[in-house]
Structures are given as structure tokens and as C-alpha cells.
Amino acid sequence: MKPFGEKPRIAVHKFSSCDGCQLAFLNLGANLITLSQRVQLTHFLEAGLDAPDTPVDIAFVEGSLSTPDEVERIRKVRENSRYLVSIGACATAGGLQALRNLDNKHDEWRDAIYAQPEFINTLKHARPIAQEVRVDYELWGCPINSRQLVACINALLFGVPPFDNSEKLCLECKRQQKVCVMVTEDKPCLGPVTRTGCGALCPSFGRDCYGCYGPSENSNTQSLSRRFAGMGLLPDAIARRFLLINSASPAFNEAGLAARATGEEKDGQ
């Protein structure tokens, strides 16, 4: 990795999303001032900075590609960026917008929702940033947190690749000595196939993980699906567990569609 200049330039771009991941910057609070002494924020609409075409060293991109305009914009962002980092479930795995990819009813839903659908210009399939341009690093989560963001920036500024923590959430629960909600309470937890990063937030409060940080490394979704079925979950319920926030990630997509197909076979018998 080549060294940066004295004060690297950073941009934060928004595409189709809820803005939640951009808040990882604003949630830094006073530390954002410290960060601004080390880098120059050139574009960040949430903070009032509007210069989207300025060449930068690092571009953080939130949101999925859901419109033709966004496809054109992400190409320009890629051209103007030395490193491009996609942040959050929408940017890394399509997010909730990708739910429309599961059924070929884009036009039907659009016409039913909007009074004048002829003015709505969207892609029939929402997709992650990496499906259109080269992405150098990804920060998973819905939303990401400030800790991930600072770690990524520090790594890049020190000239080393950011660490991709793709281990399973179950390991984080073990480190925190949390009681397994699937073993003790028979809750359908996605922790065995979901990457850590949230700090095991939901299991800490006795709730089952719903996979907001996306698939972990070597995620054995097939085995977990069988475990869910053994717990009494119907195929449709299993499919919904996987096809939610990260439905466009291959591991969760395949598991969800397989469960859905199983349900359809049973309904047809």
C-alpha cells in the first residue's frame, strides 16, 4: 500500500439506504473533531459538505444500487477514489431493498404503491456496490458501528489492509460468557452462521441473532436450516430468517431460497 499525503481526503457517499451507517461518523462525537485533524472530509452531505466529484483517497459508500442514476454515480465515485469502502448491509449485500429481487413483481408492486408510477425510475433488481464496481474493503452490519469505522481508517492510514473479522457471532458470545439462547431457550438464532461485529448485542439481551452482520466465514447454513426445522420452524419461517437484511449475500440467499423451495414442494404434495 502506498503512503498517503499529509492529510488524506475522505468522502462519504449515500445511495439507497436509511442513512444509519453514516451515523457511525456522527456518533463519534468529540472524536470526530480529532479525526478531522488527521484527515480532510471533502464530501459528506449529512455533515453539510457537498463536493461529490472531488478526487479522494478513501471513499465510504453507504446504500445499494437501486436506480440507473446510482449506477452512473458509483462509477464516478470509483474513478475519483483511491480506495473504495462499502459500508453496511445495503452496500455489501443489497440490504432491505434487495427483497424485491426475490419475486419478479417489480412493476406490479410499483404500480400498486405509487399514484403516478410512470415517474418512478428504478432498477428491477437492487444490488450491492461490488456488483457494479471494484470494492477494496467492506464493512458489514446493519448498521455498522463507529468502532469498525475507526479501525478501518486507522489501518488504511498506517498502510495496512483493514482486518476483516468474519468469525462467527457464537465466538463473541463465548468470550462474553453469554448463555446460548438457542440451547437454553430454543430460539432460532442465526449466530452460528453470522459474522461478529455487533458485540453480541441481541443475545446479550436474551434475543436470538437475526443476521444483520451478514454471513460469517464457512457458514454452514444448510446444517442450521435442519436445526431450525428440528425446532419446529416451517420452511417459510426458515426462509424469512435468511432472506431479510442480507438476502443478496450468496450464503444467505441460497439457504433462504432452498428453504422456500422445500416449503413449495410440501405445499404441492
Side-chain angles (χ1 to χ4, degrees):
M1 298 178 63
K2 297 180 181 179
F4 291 101
E6 183 176 346
K7 202 168 186 180
R9 289 174 294 186
I10 290 180
V12 183
H13 296 271
K14 170 187 163 55
F15 289 77
S16 291
S17 61
C18 70
D19 288 19
C21 291
Q22 293 181 72
L23 291 178
F25 279 93
L26 300 182
N27 287 342
L28 286 170
N31 289 329
L32 183 58
I33 299 177
T34 302
L35 177 64
S36 66
Q37 295 172 348
R38 302 172 59 201
V39 301
Q40 177 186 356
L41 281 168
T42 62
H43 174 74
F44 187 10
L45 287 178
E46 194 107 345
L49 301 173
D50 186 8
D53 297 326
T54 301
V56 297
D57 296 290
I58 309 170
F60 289 95
V61 177
E62 175 196 83
S64 67
L65 302 176
S66 298
T67 68
D69 173 69
E70 289 180 333
V71 173
E72 294 302 318
R73 283 204 295 126
I74 194 60
R75 291 172 181 170
K76 292 181 181 178
V77 171
R78 177 68 272 183
E79 291 175 1
N80 292 327
S81 309
R82 179 175 170 186
Y83 294 108
L84 191 153
V85 183
S86 58
I87 59 175
C90 295
T92 57
L96 292 175
Q97 300 86 269
L99 289 173
R100 72 170 181 253
N101 302 353
L102 303 175
D103 294 290
N104 294 317
K105 297 182 180 180
H106 172 271
D107 294 344
E108 180 181 336
W109 291 344
R110 179 200 60 200
D111 296 347
I113 294 171
Y114 296 99
Q116 294 180 295
E118 64 271 17
F119 293 111
I120 305 301
N121 186 20
T122 60
L123 301 171
K124 290 193 174 183
H125 294 90
R127 56 184 187 265
I129 301 300
Q131 287 190 10
E132 184 61 36
V133 298
R134 188 185 84 254
V135 171
D136 298 297
Y137 304 103
E138 295 179 330
L139 298 182
W140 290 71
C142 186
I144 66 166
N145 57 61
S146 301
R147 182 180 64 255
Q148 293 171 276
L149 189 63
V150 171
C152 177
I153 294 175
N154 282 337
L156 289 173
L157 294 185
F158 280 109
V160 297
F163 175 62
D164 180 22
N165 190 0
S166 59
E167 67 178 20
K168 297 172 176 60
L169 184 66
C170 291
L171 296 177
E172 182 64 27
C173 281
K174 295 293 185 182
R175 284 192 288 265
Q176 296 188 26
Q177 299 182 6
K178 303 299 181 184
V179 176
C180 179
V181 297
M182 185 157 63
V183 172
T184 61
E185 301 182 46
D186 215 29
K187 292 183 178 179
C189 183
L190 283 175
V193 297
T194 299
R195 66 171 58 207
T196 187
C198 64
L201 182 62
C202 288
S204 297
F205 289 92
R207 191 202 188 284
D208 46 304
C209 169
Y210 56 94
C212 65
Y213 269 67
S216 62
E217 59 182 357
N218 303 319
S219 54
N220 191 348
T221 54
Q222 185 177 17
S223 178
L224 187 60
S225 294
R226 290 196 298 267
R227 179 71 179 92
F228 285 168
M231 296 167 66
L233 268 68
L234 296 176
D236 184 58
I238 297 174
R240 287 199 301 269
R241 300 294 295 180
F242 290 105
L243 300 176
L244 183 59
I245 297 173
N246 290 284
S247 65
S249 62
F252 283 6
N253 184 268
E254 293 171 8
L257 294 182
R260 176 190 280 189
T262 299
E264 292 172 350
E265 290 177 5
K266 291 183 177 180
D267 291 340
Q269 292 177 353

